[in-house]
Amino acid sequence: MYNISENPQVIYSLDMLSDTLFNLLMNHSIKDITITKLCEEAMLTRKTFYRNCENIYDLIIYKIDKLILEIQNNTDWNSSDEVKLFTNFFDYWYNKRKFLSILNKHNLFYLFITQFNLNIQNSNYPFLEQILNKEENKNDLKLFYNAFLVGGLSHVLEQWTKNNFEIDIKYLVKAMCTLTPQH
């Protein structure tokens, strides 16, 4: 697990290490990247690395969590306009396609899916709330509706990445709106 801290020095170190790792992953296999090489490239000490994370995968998780937090903070989750929400989602990740492509190239997309599910699973979506209002067991079903939506989005994003982002965002949004239960 990486060091979860508001300390600017910790954040700086994690940012430097994770950015350096992703730069190295453009040309190297993850198994060929040593902690020593990573720290040298980041111009940080091994002590700094181990003070902030246990292994290289923690840096990948850190970067994923940071990007997910960014999209969560920049999205109006109170909107019931699913077209707007899905468009924002795919636009955001399209702008991060280099990052997603590196995950895909190194067979690390499972880390994204896991973190995406952990970070987004308990979010509230007004358009789902409208659907759930019709259900008798809405409190019990909310977890399942969220799991369906979050799992679907993360796997669609993975397929889109594997497809080199060739499908236009408007078609992905239309597909997601079609697959989402109508109110």
Side-chain angles (χ1 to χ4, degrees):
M1 182 69 185
Y2 63 85
N3 185 355
I4 299 172
S5 173
E6 304 257 336
N7 180 320
Q9 186 59 44
V10 170
I11 294 167
Y12 172 81
S13 296
L14 286 168
D15 284 344
M16 288 299 296
L17 288 164
S18 65
D19 289 346
T20 300
L21 174 60
F22 278 91
N23 285 333
L24 289 169
L25 285 170
M26 284 193 267
N27 299 311
H28 302 282
S29 168
I30 194 163
K31 69 180 190 290
D32 295 332
I33 301 171
T34 65
I35 303 298
T36 300
K37 180 166 179 59
L38 174 63
C39 291
E40 285 173 0
E41 294 283 327
M43 295 186 280
L44 297 171
T45 65
R46 285 173 53 91
K47 184 177 180 179
T48 299
F49 176 89
Y50 285 111
R51 187 178 21 229
N52 292 296
C53 49
E54 295 173 17
N55 58 54
I56 284 180
Y57 293 93
D58 286 345
L59 294 172
I60 297 167
I61 293 168
Y62 168 76
K63 185 75 164 181
I64 292 167
D65 286 347
K66 186 175 177 178
L67 293 175
I68 291 169
L69 181 61
E70 184 178 88
I71 192 174
Q72 284 179 310
N73 289 338
N74 293 321
T75 300
D76 176 14
W77 296 109
N78 292 319
S79 174
S80 60
D81 182 352
E82 58 195 40
V83 171
K84 181 180 173 185
L85 288 170
F86 289 135
T87 301
N88 183 60
F89 175 83
F90 289 113
D91 279 342
Y92 177 83
W93 290 111
Y94 182 78
N95 290 325
K96 306 295 182 194
R97 65 190 176 277
K98 186 175 176 181
F99 170 79
L100 295 175
S101 295
I102 290 170
L103 290 179
N104 184 56
K105 175 183 173 183
H106 295 283
N107 297 314
L108 298 169
F109 219 92
Y110 71 95
L111 292 172
F112 177 87
I113 291 171
T114 300
Q115 291 309 114
F116 187 73
N117 281 297
L118 288 171
N119 281 283
I120 305 291
Q121 182 70 306
N122 296 317
S123 297
N124 290 314
Y125 307 100
F127 70 92
L128 282 182
E129 294 295 330
Q130 293 173 16
I131 296 165
L132 288 169
N133 281 337
K134 300 177 200 170
E135 301 290 343
E136 288 179 31
N137 302 325
K138 68 179 175 180
N139 291 333
D140 296 333
L141 291 174
K142 182 177 182 176
L143 178 66
F144 295 98
Y145 274 97
N146 271 355
F148 174 78
L149 179 65
V150 171
L153 278 172
S154 60
H155 286 285
V156 165
L157 193 58
E158 180 182 26
Q159 290 305 310
W160 193 36
T161 303
K162 288 179 178 181
N163 188 254
N164 294 314
F165 306 94
E166 290 181 10
I167 303 296
D168 191 280
I169 290 172
K170 67 182 174 187
Y171 296 118
L172 290 172
V173 169
K174 184 178 179 182
M176 293 308 300
C177 290
T178 301
L179 294 171
T180 304
Q182 301 299 308
H183 352 295

